[in-house]
Structure formats: C-alpha cells, structure tokens
Amino acid sequence: TWCGPCQVEMPHLQKIHTDLGAQGLVLLGISADDAKSAAMVPNIVKAKGLTYPILLDTNSTVVASYNPAKTLPYTAIIDRTGALVQTHAGYNPGDEVRLREELTALLGQTAP
C-alpha cells in the first residue's frame, strides 16, 4: 500500500497474469504490509482491477524466506518443480518486458 514502485508494477503484473494464465502461469502477489495497513489492500486490489491473488504477509515471514533484505518490489520466479529459478529486486520501467520473456520461456519448457 505504501510502495510506489510496487503500485507502478501491479498493472504490468496484471497484464502478464491475464496473458499467460492460460499457459499455466500462477502469479501471486504478497503484501508486506503490517496488520494496520493490510486493511487497505482490498481497496487497492479493487481500484487497480487486480485479479491475481494477493496474499497478506503481515509478519513478513514469506517475504523474508525469499527476500531477506526485504527489497520491494521483489519478484521470485518459481518453476513447476518448486525450484527458485530467477529473482528481480526493485522495478524500473521496462522490467516487465524482460519478466514476460523469462516467464514465456519457462512456460514453454515441458513439465518434468
């Protein structure tokens, strides 16, 4: 709710979710908001028209597992076997192009 780059990235993630979901992409957003600001998450989800699940991690347990530095936004790409294959810290305009390419390539691989 308070991360500007996260807010900018969300519509791009929604587009990727919409475009690649039928190919097997599962996109999960994880909110690192504390219990007080987490109450604002549903309003942001609705205002931005997000249809991918947003999980609440008010204690940063999940965030710390993948992103100990707690850099936001942070993207972890996990393959079909559950292996962490790529991470991206931060967001700059155009990062979504590279992310889409990585995901498309990964989705094109055959399942183990």
Side-chain angles (χ1 to χ4, degrees):
T1 59
W2 48 267
C3 172
C6 298
Q7 299 264 345
V8 172
E9 184 182 45
M10 286 177 197
H12 298 294
L13 294 176
Q14 177 60 47
K15 177 84 169 117
I16 290 170
H17 167 72
T18 300
D19 294 349
L20 301 180
Q23 295 176 42
L25 175 70
V26 175
L27 191 144
L28 300 173
I30 300 177
S31 167
D33 287 282
D34 62 20
K36 183 178 177 182
S37 60
M40 297 186 315
V41 171
N43 293 334
I44 290 174
V45 168
K46 184 177 180 179
K48 293 199 173 288
L50 304 179
T51 61
Y52 58 90
I54 306 293
L55 309 174
L56 301 179
D57 187 20
T58 56
N59 295 322
S60 295
T61 305
V62 175
V63 170
S65 296
Y66 291 96
N67 177 15
K70 298 182 183 171
T71 304
L72 295 177
Y74 189 84
T75 302
I77 301 174
I78 301 167
D79 71 9
R80 289 180 172 112
T81 69
L84 180 64
V85 296
Q86 187 65 265
T87 61
H88 299 278
Y91 174 77
N92 290 300
D95 284 354
E96 66 277 2
V97 174
R98 181 176 49 143
L99 178 61
R100 178 184 289 271
E101 290 169 355
E102 292 170 353
L103 292 169
T104 300
L106 194 59
L107 288 167
Q109 295 177 2
T110 56

